[in-house]
DNA sequence: CGTTAGGTAGAACGATCGTTCTTTCTCTGT
DNA sequence: ACAGAGAAAGAACGATCGTTCTACCTAACG
């Protein structure tokens, strides 16, 4: 895996800039680091690995990132931006709260199935960074607070009642779907997730079996 | 934290054995390693840390554990044994499936609130060990397969219908409770977990708000 | 044209990683 | 009493960790 990304040869060794203003080397560092961090973990992936795969020298690395922890923060920042984009995209899709909640659940399932097959980048990062006060943990907390609040806002603006409880349950079930999809395989988790999520959101008011 | 456990002085340096047959040094190693692994993570806790806190030398460590990975396996073995004990204890508690599922949910909530405030030891270990074929990952898979199957068995023997789906949803929600309790605080997750779990199990057939 | 920011190449830093080794001591079992 | 197992104490192994450094080069910009 990740072998398709061969170490970069010294083809062009000049400072090229990207359309967004960031340098090409910096973006390559951030992209390869994101893939390696997510696929294998943060502590196990050393700086030497990252610069070797990215085809960049250590000096270049430390020119763009003061320390490895800054790179980790940037990695989480990319993930955060991605999720913000997709969620805001789904925001204006519909006004019907029922349809909206259904779209949210489908979107989560789609995301877990296609990308994020190794769990949640933020949960995984929090597992590796036990210190609550670290910058990584603060980034995780910030992201989760935004996500929960954003779900509440979407549900409220769509007219759903008890948006706080519903948002809390959706966060809960999304975490579970990401973890379960990673450890048990998405196929073994999908039906449990969808049924639990739809029940929690009030889309399927009746339980599958009435206990007896 | 963990400062209350002072490095052991060279009080008695003789091979003492425990009632269970294991040596005292081995048990102290396993106990301190379990606490450190769970509290801070596996990769960040080095062998030197473990032997220093346990008051044991490196030679003694490698006499009892061929490698660090064996210690990690033993650590997960202890956690596995604990859960097996508590689950089997709840098994014979009642014959009423409704009461049983309620007890299970309460037991999970109790466990997350009191112990396991840093998430699930197996999920955390799987995050740090990305290689599916590693012994650690196989131990995680084995534990989760047993837990899921055991939940199914308990539910089935208590007469609940659709025990496979119910067990899957309970596994899902337990994962979520452990992760959420760690990252968001148990107080912010408790009501969402209990309501979702009771809905999923069919104890509370009606959703909190009927969508509109 | 010259400056300079951004890049390459590679050595080197101290620290820590997991692991192995030798030596000496003391308790336990027979 | 004696053998052997369990543990202490500590040096040492090569490897890797994150980080810093010097030296040279090249493309873009004023």
């Amino acid at each position: 895996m990740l072998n398709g990304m061969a170490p970069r040869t010294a083809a062009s060794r000049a400072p090229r800039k990207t359309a967004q203003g960031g340098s090409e080397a910096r973006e390559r560092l951030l992209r390869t680091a994101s893939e390696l961090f997510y696929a294998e973990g943060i502590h196990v992936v050393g700086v030497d690995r990252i610069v070797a795969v990215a085809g960049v020298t250590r000096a270049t690395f430390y020119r763009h990132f003061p320390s490895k922890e800054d790179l980790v923060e940037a990695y989480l920042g990319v993930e955060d931006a991605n999720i913000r984009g997709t969620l805001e995209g789904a925001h204006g899709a519909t006004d019907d709260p029922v349809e909206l909640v259904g779209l949210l659940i489908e979107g989560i399932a789609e995301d877990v199935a296609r990308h994020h097959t190794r769990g949640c980048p933020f949960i995984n990062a929090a597992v590796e960074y036990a210190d609550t006060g670290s910058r990584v943990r603060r980034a995780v907390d910030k992201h989760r607070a935004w996500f929960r609040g954003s779900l509440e806002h979407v549900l409220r603006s769509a007219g759903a009642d008890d948006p706080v409880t519903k948002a809390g349950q959706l966060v809960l079930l999304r975490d579970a779907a990401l973890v379960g999809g990673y450890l048990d395989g998405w196929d073994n988790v999908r039906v449990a997730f969808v049924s639990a999520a739809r029940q929690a959101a009030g889309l399927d008011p009746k339980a599958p079996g009435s206990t007896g």
Side-chain angles (χ1 to χ4, degrees), chain A residues 61-123:
Chain A
F61 174 89
Y62 282 101
R63 183 185 310 280
H64 291 289
F65 300 97
S67 73
K68 187 191 176 185
E69 194 165 356
D70 291 271
L71 178 62
V72 177
E73 274 189 292
Y75 152 59
L76 293 179
V78 170
E79 294 285 343
D80 179 76
N82 288 342
I83 300 183
R84 281 177 196 259
T86 59
L87 190 67
E88 285 170 4
H91 194 313
T94 177
D95 286 344
D96 180 17
V98 179
E99 193 179 351
L100 177 70
V101 173
L103 285 179
L104 281 177
I105 293 172
E106 276 181 26
I108 292 172
E110 170 95 357
D111 176 62
V112 177
R114 282 216 221 282
H115 328 288
H116 292 149
T117 57
R118 246 272 302 186
C120 172
F122 296 92
I123 293 175

Side-chain angles (χ1 to χ4, degrees), chain A residues 7-8 30 46 48 57-58 91-92 94 104-105 107 115 161 166 171 180 182 185 189:
Chain A
R8 202 156 180 273
L30 186 48
D48 286 18
T57 60
R58 281 175 288 280
H91 194 313
T94 177
L104 281 177
I105 293 172
H115 328 288
D161 55 281
K166 281 196 173 63
V171 169
Y182 170 39
V189 176

Side-chain angles (χ1 to χ4, degrees), chain A residues 112 116-120 123-124 127 172-186 189:
Chain A
V112 177
H116 292 149
T117 57
R118 246 272 302 186
C120 172
I123 293 175
N124 293 4
V127 167
L172 203 74
L173 288 168
R174 194 185 103 103
D175 290 342
L178 285 160
V179 170
Y182 170 39
L183 294 182
D184 300 332
W186 178 236
V189 176

Side-chain angles (χ1 to χ4, degrees), chain A residues 4-210:
Chain A
M5 180 182 298
R8 202 156 180 273
T9 63
S12 86
R13 53 189 61 173
R16 309 213 174 278
K17 290 198 179 165
T18 289
Q20 285 74 10
S23 81
E24 183 184 321
R26 198 198 121 100
E27 292 195 354
R28 211 163 50 232
L29 276 169
L30 186 48
R31 184 156 35 90
T32 53
S34 296
E35 296 175 0
L36 290 174
F37 284 160
Y38 183 64
E40 306 186 21
I42 296 173
H43 289 327
V44 283
V45 174
V47 173
D48 286 18
R49 262 291 282 308
I50 298 173
V51 300
V53 176
V56 160
T57 60
R58 281 175 288 280
T60 303
F61 174 89
Y62 282 101
R63 183 185 310 280
H64 291 289
F65 300 97
S67 73
K68 187 191 176 185
E69 194 165 356
D70 291 271
L71 178 62
V72 177
E73 274 189 292
Y75 152 59
L76 293 179
V78 170
E79 294 285 343
D80 179 76
N82 288 342
I83 300 183
R84 281 177 196 259
T86 59
L87 190 67
E88 285 170 4
H91 194 313
T94 177
D95 286 344
D96 180 17
V98 179
E99 193 179 351
L100 177 70
V101 173
L103 285 179
L104 281 177
I105 293 172
E106 276 181 26
I108 292 172
E110 170 95 357
D111 176 62
V112 177
R114 282 216 221 282
H115 328 288
H116 292 149
T117 57
R118 246 272 302 186
C120 172
F122 296 92
I123 293 175
N124 293 4
V127 167
E128 294 207 67
Y129 286 80
D131 182 7
T132 309
S134 70
R135 286 187 289 161
V136 171
R137 282 298 294 278
R138 267 181 282 154
V140 171
D141 290 344
K142 191 175 175 183
H143 169 79
R144 289 181 70 85
W146 162 81
F147 184 69
R148 179 185 237 99
S150 191
L151 275 187
E152 284 181 25
H153 176 261
V154 168
L155 289 166
R156 193 189 323 270
S157 74
D161 55 281
D162 211 348
V164 174
T165 300
K166 281 196 173 63
Q169 289 182 342
L170 282 182
V171 169
L172 203 74
L173 288 168
R174 194 185 103 103
D175 290 342
L178 285 160
V179 170
Y182 170 39
L183 294 182
D184 300 332
W186 178 236
D187 291 339
N188 298 324
V189 176
R190 210 189 101 255
V191 313
F193 165 73
V194 173
S195 59
R198 293 184 65 87
Q199 281 181 49
L203 300 182
D204 299 339
K206 211 173 77 62
S210 53

